[in-house]
Amino acid sequence: MSAENSNPAPAFRYAAVTFDCPDPAELARFYGGALGLPVAFSTDDFVLLGQDGAAGLGFNRLADYRRPTWPDPGQEKQAHLELGVDDLDDAETHLLSLGAVKPGHQPDPDRWRVLLDPAGHPFCITTLV
């Protein structure tokens, strides 16, 4: 091993994924209600949901945020979450009551459902995981 490679690599661990949005508090309320996660940290421009010792979910205010237009590629979805559920219909009903929107285009509704969060991010619910 050469001298430049003799130091061990630093340890990394997954900490959080953060979504840009126009209103972090609104999106945190939605995902907190959907996933049962408490607010771990909050400012006017950023909210982090999570449990001690576990990866979190963050929401960052972006002044010029543009909603994804999925399935229209005009403004790509950027990223999306896959949420495992036991019953697609029950989960969909619950998420719609929290403020999700169900777009008309559903690629494979018997295997998973695509929903949009209050900021327009597509996310999926599935019984496959």
Side-chain angles (χ1 to χ4, degrees), residues 57-117:
L57 190 57
F59 308 98
N60 181 67
R61 184 182 310 278
L62 187 64
D64 61 348
Y65 175 76
R66 294 186 324 182
R67 292 177 70 93
T69 57
W70 183 91
D72 177 343
Q75 179 66 36
E76 290 291 341
K77 62 186 174 189
Q78 302 145 9
H80 73 278
L81 296 174
E82 301 280 342
L83 304 177
V85 300
D86 293 329
D87 183 290
L88 286 172
D89 293 329
D90 287 346
E92 178 182 307
T93 299
H94 179 71
L95 292 165
L96 292 174
S97 77
L98 292 174
V101 174
K102 183 178 180 182
H105 178 65
Q106 295 292 317
D108 193 353
D110 292 333
R111 296 175 61 104
W112 67 83
R113 310 272 168 83
V114 180
L115 300 173
L116 306 175
D117 70 22

